[in-house]
Amino acid sequence: MKHKIHRCNCRKVWSIQNRKTKTIASSILLDGHWEAELKPERKCNPKGFVTTNNSQAIIFNPPHELMEQYEKVAQLIYDKKNVDFNIDHGEYLYFTEDGSCYILRKID
């Protein structure tokens, strides 16, 4: 089942939705494949979000020890005005408490 992840700035949390449930978390580790999805024709926000088909890949509020297995490679940036992401897919992603989103790489 497809899961959509986006930032809810009014409550300063990340929202994870599928067609059955909606969950919120302050930070998320996406330990698996993800893709950016854009819906510029929508009348309301979010018009851009991250999707994954693997619910086991979503880790809510990951512990610091788990995050030590990864290193930040780049920042995923969403351009709200132009409805566009700077990167459209990848393997690992970290959604931070402050609203930033980082592309990760596992440390061997």
Side-chain angles (χ1 to χ4, degrees), residues 29-30 34 67-77 86-87 89-96 100-108:
L29 172 61
L30 192 51
W34 61 270
M67 294 308 301
E68 290 176 349
Q69 299 175 18
Y70 300 89
E71 68 179 345
K72 295 176 184 174
V73 176
Q75 188 169 4
L76 181 65
I77 300 171
N86 62 331
I87 300 170
H89 68 281
E91 193 67 29
Y92 307 107
L93 207 52
Y94 180 48
F95 301 87
T96 66
S100 300
C101 189
Y102 294 98
I103 298 163
L104 304 175
R105 180 176 68 194
K106 268 197 175 178
I107 301 171
D108 294 331

Side-chain angles (χ1 to χ4, degrees), residues 25-96:
S26 57
S27 64
I28 301 168
L29 172 61
L30 192 51
D31 188 18
H33 184 74
W34 61 270
E35 293 184 8
E37 189 169 316
L38 301 169
K39 302 265 185 186
E41 68 281 355
R42 287 183 69 178
K43 291 183 180 182
C44 60
N45 286 320
K47 294 181 181 182
F49 33 86
V50 171
T51 65
T52 185
N53 289 327
N54 185 358
S55 63
Q56 288 80 24
I58 302 170
I59 302 168
F60 301 101
N61 305 314
H64 181 69
E65 297 79 31
L66 179 60
M67 294 308 301
E68 290 176 349
Q69 299 175 18
Y70 300 89
E71 68 179 345
K72 295 176 184 174
V73 176
Q75 188 169 4
L76 181 65
I77 300 171
Y78 174 63
D79 181 352
K80 189 174 180 179
K81 182 180 177 186
N82 296 317
V83 188
D84 194 29
F85 283 95
N86 62 331
I87 300 170
D88 62 357
H89 68 281
E91 193 67 29
Y92 307 107
L93 207 52
Y94 180 48
F95 301 87
T96 66

